[in-house]
Amino acid sequence: MTDGGESLRPQEFMGEAEEILEALGSDLQAAEAEMRGGGVRIQRLNSLFRGMHSLKGLAGMFGRGDLSRLAHRLEDVLDRLRMGECTLDAGFLDLLFDAHERLEALVSGCAGEDAGLEELLGRLQAALGENKGEEAAAGVAGASDPQGPSPPVGLDAALLSSLTRFEEHRLRAALAAGVPVRLVALRLPMESFDGDLRSIIGSVGEAGEVISTLPCYQPDEAVDGLGFQLLVAATCSEEELLARVGRPARVETVRAVSDEPSLAPPAPGGGPVDPPQTSRADDDAGPAAGEAGGSASVRVDLERLDRIMNSVGELLLFRRSIADVARRLVDNPATQVLGRDLTRATRDLDKRLHELQRSVIGARMVPVSQMVGRLSRLVRKLSRRSGKEMVLESRGGQTELDKVMIDRLLNPLIHMVRNAVDHGLEDPHERRRAGKPARGRLLLTAAQRGNSVIITLSDDGRGIDAETVCRAGVKRGLLEPGTPASLELACDLIFEPGFSSSPAVDEVSGRGFGLDVARREIRALNGEVTLRTSPGVGTVLEIELPITLAIIQCMLVRAGDLDFAVPVAAIAETLRYRPERTESIATSPVVRLRGETLPLVDLRRFFRLQGGPDGPPGYVVVTRSGERPLALAVGDLMGQHEVVIKPVGRRLESIPGIAGATEVAENRAALVLDVTTLTAEVQRMSGAA
Amino acid sequence: MSQPTPRGHETDGLEILLEPGGESRPQDGMTQVLTFRLAGERYGIPIGCIVEILKYRQATPIPRSEPVVHGIVSLRGRIVTVLDARRRLELHAAEIGPATRIIVVRDADEPVGLLVDEVLQVMKLPADAVKPPPATIRAAAERGIAGVCDTRQDSILILLDMQGFLKV
C-alpha cells in the first residue's frame, strides 16, 4: 500500500533547489537591468554559472535526471558566456528566462511531458552554435579573447596555478584591456575574517573587479590571524585601493608580460606545486572564500521547527497546570506562603517561555521579498504574452511572515497578479487615450500592523465596472435579474465561486481558477482579503494575515460539554447573558447592544451539542468578522490562553465554523472557531429560514 | 495455513505492534494482515498501512461532521481524525469498552484513526486464499470490502481495501 523505504528526503531537495532557483531568478532580472544600462556585469554571469553548477550537482545527487540534464546544458552555456566565448543579447536572455521557468517546473515536479525539454535543450544548443565570440559587440562588459595561446603573466606560478580557469581568464582579460592588476596582501583577525573580507571585497568591488581571493600562510608574521591575497583589477590609484581596503596591506602590481624567465608556464595545473593553502575544487563553483563563506545561517527543515513549536506549545500547557496548582495553594491558608513562592517562580518561568516562544516563531519568519522575485518574473512573462507594458514594483519587502504562510500565499498572489493583468490593466493604446502612461504599474506592498501583516496588490488599470460585473452575475445565476448594479455588489461577486466576466478562458488567467479560490486559500491561513476599486483609476486587493499561524491568543469558551477556542483577535467584547436584552426579529434571535442590533447564535444549538448543563447560556461573546458582528451565546468563559492551532485534516476542514484544533490538556483536543465562516454560515442559515 | 503471531507489547497506554515502515509487501505470495473485531465480525487490513495502535482515549466529537467521524484525538502534537469503522461499514455505532482500540493508518498525507472493538492478531495469508466478496454482501466495493478469506478458524475473515475504505 505504501512503501516503507525512505529515499533521500525530498523536502531537503526542494528547500535547497528553491533557494538556488530564487537566486538564479533574481540574477537573471539583474542581468536584464544591467543589459539595459550598458552591459551585464561579469560577476553576474559568474554568479549565474555558480548557481547553475550547484543546481546541477543537487539534481544529480537526488537522481533528478531531466533537471540535471537541463542544468548541465545551462551550466555549459553560462560558462561560455562568462568566458566571453559568446555574447548575451536580449534574445538569449529570453531563452534563459524560459529555461529558468522550465527548471522551476522540473523542481516542483509539475513539468509536463519532456517533449518541451528536448526542444529547449535544442534551442540552447542552437543559440550556442550561432553565437560565437563576437567580442566587439559583446553585451558583456570587458569580455576578452577566447582561449588560445595566452601570454605569460607576471604572477607567481604557484599562485597562478591556484586560480580557477575563470579567474585566470578574467586576469588575462584585464591585462589585455590594459587595466592595472594588483595583488593586495593583508591579514585579518581570526574571529572576524569572514565579515571583514566580505566588506573589503564589497568596497574594493565598487572600484574594480576582485578577480580572486586567496587565503595564504605567512609564517614570518607571528601575529594571530589569517593572511589573504586579493587579486584586483581596477583603474583607480594605489592610494585609493588602499583606502578602500581600509587596513594595512601590501600591494604589488601584476605585469602583463613576464620578464622573469624563471616562471613556470601558466597553464592551470602545470605549476610545480599545489599550494597547500588552496584546497580548491577544479572549478570555482564552490563558494569562494570571501563571497559566500561565513554566512552565519543554517537551513532548518520546517518539520523540525514544527516539532520545536509543538514542544513549546506543550510547555505552555504545563505552565497552565502549574499555575493552577499555585492558585490552589494560595487559596488554602495553610499553604499560602508556599503558593505565593510557586506563583513567583511560575511568573519567571512564564517570561522565559515567552522568550523561547518568540525565538521559535522568529526562526520561522522569512521576508516577504522572497515572493517578489517569482511575481516579477511572472509579470515580465505576462507582459510579453499580452502585449501590455507593465512593471511590478514592491515596497516593504523586508516585512516578515511565517515561512508556511509565504509558501501558501504565493499561489493566491499569482492568481491576483494574473487577474490584474488580464482584467485590470489596459493595453498601451487604451491607456494613452485615458491619459495614463503607456506602461501599467502593479504595486505590491507589505507592512506589519500589530499582529497582522497587510499585503496589498494594486494596479493602475481600468478598475472594476459595476455594470459589466453585475450583468455577468445575472447571467451566471448569481444575482436576481433586475438587481441594481453597485460597486459594492460587484466587489462581492467577483469572489463568488465560478464567477468570471471574461468570455473566453485564455492562457493568462483562465483555467477556471477564480478569485474565490484565492480567497479560500487566504482564509485557510486565517486571513481575509478585501477589494477596493475606483473606475478608471485602478484596483487594490488587500490581504490581511496573522504574522504566524502557529500560536494565537484565544478565549476558551464552553458550549454544552465541549470547549472551543475563539481567537481573541476576532472578539470585540464579552458580556453576561441577559435574557431581557435579547429579542427576536422574524424568529431570528438578536441582541441589542448600545443601539446596535446583533444576530445572536447559541453556540450549543449551532453545533447541535447535546451534553452539558441545561438552562440559559451564561455569557455572550461579541465577535467581528470584517464589519459583520455576531453575538455568540456560550455556557461559560474559561479564560484566555495561547494556543497552538493545528489543522484538523481534510475530512473536517470544510465544516463551517471550525478553523482547526488545539491541544488543551494532554491528548485532549479542543476546536478553534473560525469566526469568518461561522458568521457566513449563520447568515446563510437565517437567509434560508 | 495461518500463523498467529504474538500481540504487540504495551507501553504506557500505547500499544506498539510494528516498527514504523515495517514489512508490508507480500513475501513469497503471502499477505500480512492485522485482524480485528467489529460488531462480532472479523475484519483484516494489510499491515503495511498501519502506523500504530492506541488504547482508546477520549475523542473530542466534531459537531456537524459526518456520522462516520467519531471525533479527533491529539497524537503527539498532531490532530488525528478518528473514524468509526462500524459506521463506515453501515453497522451500529461503536460502543466503547476496555478492548476498544484506535488503529492509526496512513491515508494519503495524514494519519487517520479507525475505531475498532478489539484487535485480534497479525496473520499471513496466501494471496490466492482471498476470494472476491460474495454477491450477497451489499455494495461491497463502496464500503471498501476487498474480499473474504476462510481461515478455518473463527468466523470468516473480511478483508478491507484501505483506499476504498477511507474514501469518506
Side-chain angles (χ1 to χ4, degrees):
Chain A
M1 202 147 245
T2 36
D3 62 331
E6 282 242 325
S7 54
L8 284 164
R9 308 215 296 158
Q11 64 266 42
E12 273 171 31
F13 166 77
M14 286 296 281
E16 199 161 336
E18 277 168 5
E19 207 164 285
I20 296 172
L21 278 174
E22 195 51 49
L24 284 172
S26 48
D27 270 338
L28 277 177
Q29 282 189 302
E32 189 175 38
E34 285 166 7
M35 187 185 283
R36 268 192 243 110
V40 180
R41 279 154 47 99
I42 190 72
Q43 289 89 336
R44 188 72 57 206
L45 291 175
N46 196 34
S47 143
L48 279 165
F49 169 80
R50 285 165 185 279
M52 202 56 76
H53 180 85
S54 315
L55 187 63
K56 182 191 75 173
L58 189 69
M61 209 158 76
F62 282 83
R64 305 281 286 249
D66 281 353
L67 182 63
S68 153
R69 268 173 71 214
L70 180 54
H72 192 165
R73 177 70 50 87
L74 283 162
E75 183 193 10
D76 284 351
V77 168
L78 288 164
D79 190 30
R80 309 252 316 249
L81 281 170
R82 69 178 187 146
M83 300 299 268
E85 289 164 26
C86 58
T87 57
L88 186 60
D89 57 20
F92 208 145
L93 194 61
D94 274 348
L95 182 56
L96 292 180
F97 270 108
D98 284 353
H100 182 267
E101 200 179 317
R102 186 78 195 182
L103 288 172
E104 280 181 330
L106 284 169
V107 164
S108 61
C110 59
E113 317 73 61
D114 44 15
L117 180 63
E118 294 307 326
E119 190 246 316
L120 185 59
L121 289 170
R123 271 164 70 204
L124 285 166
Q125 191 64 43
L128 278 183
E130 72 196 27
N131 184 329
K132 274 215 170 99
E134 306 150 52
E135 308 302 340
V140 176
S144 92
D145 51 11
Q147 281 180 322
S150 23
V153 173
L155 196 62
D156 178 57
L159 206 60
L160 191 58
S161 71
S162 68
L163 294 183
T164 66
R165 203 165 57 85
F166 175 64
E167 286 167 351
E168 195 189 332
H169 161 70
R170 294 307 302 158
L171 170 63
R172 292 184 189 287
L175 291 173
V179 178
V181 177
R182 301 187 185 92
L183 197 59
V184 181
L186 70 158
R187 276 191 102 68
L188 295 171
M190 202 65 189
E191 58 275 13
S192 64
F193 74 90
D194 50 348
D196 292 350
L197 200 57
R198 248 201 313 275
S199 71
I200 291 171
I201 288 171
S203 132
V204 171
E206 285 166 25
E209 179 187 347
V210 180
I211 295 173
S212 180
T213 313
L214 303 158
C216 60
Y217 293 125
Q218 286 163 306
D220 49 315
E221 290 179 50
V223 218
D224 267 356
L226 280 175
F228 286 95
Q229 287 179 301
L230 268 59
L231 194 57
V232 180
T235 46
C236 67
S237 66
E238 194 170 315
E239 289 70 40
E240 190 192 335
L241 187 60
L242 275 169
R244 284 187 176 275
V245 169
R247 56 185 71 225
R250 223 176 38 234
V251 177
E252 67 186 80
T253 303
V254 180
R255 280 170 303 272
V257 178
S258 164
D259 46 16
E260 288 167 58
S262 63
L263 274 180
V273 273
D274 236 353
Q277 69 271 31
T278 52
S279 57
R280 311 179 73 171
D282 68 329
D283 212 295
D284 49 348
E291 278 176 30
S295 144
S297 64
V298 290
R299 208 194 327 269
V300 182
D301 197 339
L302 254 188
E303 226 172 85
R304 277 199 204 179
L305 277 182
D306 280 344
R307 274 204 296 278
I308 300 176
M309 203 67 190
N310 280 334
S311 308
V312 173
E314 279 156 23
L315 284 177
L316 288 168
L317 285 177
F318 285 129
R319 178 200 66 174
R320 222 183 287 165
S321 39
I322 295 174
D324 275 347
V325 174
R327 234 187 332 275
R328 288 215 303 275
L329 288 175
V330 172
D331 287 347
N332 182 342
T335 54
Q336 216 169 31
V337 180
L338 214 55
R340 292 227 175 89
D341 284 351
L342 185 58
T343 307
R344 247 194 311 278
T346 317
R347 230 175 276 137
D348 284 345
L349 176 69
D350 246 42
K351 225 185 291 167
R352 299 290 135 75
L353 279 177
H354 278 110
E355 275 169 26
L356 177 62
Q357 191 187 351
R358 267 198 302 278
S359 330
V360 177
I361 293 176
R364 300 169 54 98
M365 304 293 260
V366 291
V368 171
S369 59
Q370 275 208 348
M371 295 187 297
V372 176
R374 279 286 290 274
L375 292 173
S376 44
R377 283 198 296 286
L378 173 73
V379 167
R380 181 185 181 279
K381 188 172 111 189
L382 294 177
S383 169
R384 298 265 158 140
R385 289 215 181 135
S386 62
K388 296 175 182 174
E389 285 177 51
M390 66 192 89
V391 64
L392 176 81
E393 291 169 21
S394 70
R395 303 217 197 305
Q398 74 288 353
T399 311
E400 290 190 321
L401 255 180
D402 194 294
K403 167 78 176 140
V404 174
M405 300 258 238
I406 294 267
D407 288 350
R408 290 180 57 183
L409 201 53
L410 189 62
N411 269 330
L413 274 174
I414 284 177
H415 185 70
M416 289 174 177
V417 165
R418 289 195 151 139
N419 204 66
V421 170
D422 195 33
H423 303 295
L425 294 177
E426 314 90 332
D427 59 49
H429 186 65
E430 196 183 331
R431 290 182 64 86
R432 265 189 231 103
R433 236 187 357 226
K436 294 181 186 178
R439 175 189 278 197
R441 182 164 167 267
L442 291 168
L443 177 66
L444 183 76
T445 71
Q448 189 172 342
R449 193 191 294 162
N451 272 331
S452 304
V453 165
I454 313 284
I455 293 172
T456 68
L457 178 72
S458 43
D459 66 70
D460 63 350
R462 59 171 77 93
I464 289 169
D465 180 43
E467 289 290 338
T468 317
V469 170
C470 291
R471 232 185 353 258
V474 170
K475 213 189 281 167
R476 278 160 191 75
L478 298 167
L479 214 57
E480 285 300 307
T483 316
S486 74
L487 216 47
E488 209 187 331
L489 203 56
C491 290
D492 269 354
L493 268 179
I494 63 167
F495 284 113
E496 282 299 315
F499 178 85
S500 164
S501 69
S502 164
V505 171
D506 60 34
E507 200 194 344
V508 179
S509 57
R511 298 203 196 105
F513 179 79
L515 274 181
D516 66 302
V517 180
R519 181 169 70 172
R520 199 159 64 225
E521 286 180 32
I522 287 162
R523 284 186 170 170
L525 297 172
N526 260 342
E528 192 48 271
V529 56
T530 51
L531 183 145
R532 293 190 304 275
T533 185
S534 167
V537 181
T539 303
V540 184
L541 278 161
E542 185 178 297
I543 301 169
E544 181 172 358
L545 290 164
I547 288 182
T548 173
L549 269 185
I551 290 203
I552 51 174
Q553 270 283 340
C554 278
M555 169 80 75
L556 280 189
V557 302
R558 179 158 289 176
D561 54 1
L562 281 187
D563 287 350
F564 293 88
V566 189
V568 166
I571 298 180
E573 61 187 302
T574 54
L575 3 137
R576 280 200 169 277
Y577 179 83
R578 295 235 181 77
E580 68 272 15
R581 258 200 244 157
T582 65
E583 44 201 292
S584 69
I585 298 179
T587 73
S588 296
V590 294
V591 58
R592 269 196 313 199
L593 183 65
R594 291 188 293 274
E596 203 181 358
T597 311
L598 319 176
L600 176 73
V601 176
D602 187 335
L603 203 56
R604 191 171 165 202
R605 208 165 299 156
F606 177 83
F607 281 130
R608 298 169 203 141
L609 305 173
Q610 266 108 44
D614 283 326
Y619 292 88
V620 172
V621 178
V622 180
T623 62
R624 275 180 201 280
S625 150
E627 284 308 299
R628 291 180 297 181
L630 186 68
L632 284 177
V634 300
D636 204 357
L637 302 181
M638 319 289 290
Q640 278 193 24
H641 295 290
E642 270 158 341
V643 306
V644 182
I645 177 166
K646 291 167 183 169
V648 282
R650 66 180 168 78
R651 281 183 184 75
L652 306 174
E653 64 196 3
S654 57
I655 296 177
I658 295 177
T662 186
E663 205 170 18
V664 280
E666 196 157 357
N667 294 337
R668 249 184 82 81
L671 295 169
V672 181
L673 286 191
D674 178 352
V675 171
T676 306
T677 56
L678 182 73
T679 309
E681 177 68 6
V682 166
Q683 285 197 332
R684 197 188 63 78
M685 280 163 51
S686 63
Chain B
M1 180 140 182
S2 64
Q3 203 176 29
T5 48
R7 288 264 209 98
H9 54 287
E10 295 200 357
T11 52
D12 52 46
L14 187 77
E15 203 174 325
I16 300 170
L17 199 88
L18 302 155
E19 292 301 315
E23 184 49 57
S24 62
R25 266 155 301 207
Q27 283 173 312
D28 41 57
M30 302 287 268
T31 312
Q32 286 202 68
V33 297
L34 175 80
T35 62
F36 51 87
R37 207 174 288 286
L38 285 178
E41 297 174 340
R42 211 153 58 102
Y43 287 86
I45 56 176
I47 63 164
C49 60
I50 298 169
V51 180
E52 63 183 281
I53 298 171
L54 308 174
K55 274 194 171 172
Y56 181 74
R57 51 173 79 170
Q58 183 66 50
T60 304
I62 304 293
R64 306 181 72 149
S65 60
E66 304 281 325
V68 70
V69 175
H70 175 75
I72 53 174
V73 292
S74 171
L75 175 60
R76 288 191 293 280
R78 232 183 138 166
I79 302 295
V80 176
T81 305
V82 179
L83 304 179
D84 185 337
R86 287 220 223 169
R87 283 278 179 124
R88 175 67 186 98
L89 292 161
E90 296 168 24
L91 308 166
H92 296 292
E95 290 147 31
I96 309 300
T100 304
R101 293 288 181 275
I102 298 171
I103 305 177
V104 182
V105 297
R106 268 183 284 263
D107 173 31
D109 52 352
E110 60 186 44
V112 172
L114 299 179
L115 194 63
V116 302
D117 294 348
E118 184 187 3
V119 168
L120 300 171
Q121 62 181 169
V122 174
M123 302 176 79
K124 275 187 185 166
L125 301 176
D128 57 7
V130 181
K131 303 281 182 274
T136 45
I137 300 188
R138 190 179 45 81
E142 284 94 278
R143 292 192 282 166
I145 296 173
V148 295
C149 179
D150 182 1
T151 56
R152 297 194 194 138
Q153 61 162 56
D154 208 335
S155 54
I156 203 141
L157 177 63
I158 305 165
L159 289 163
L160 297 177
D161 156 44
M162 272 296 104
Q163 244 174 328
F165 189 79
L166 293 174
K167 219 173 267 168
V168 279

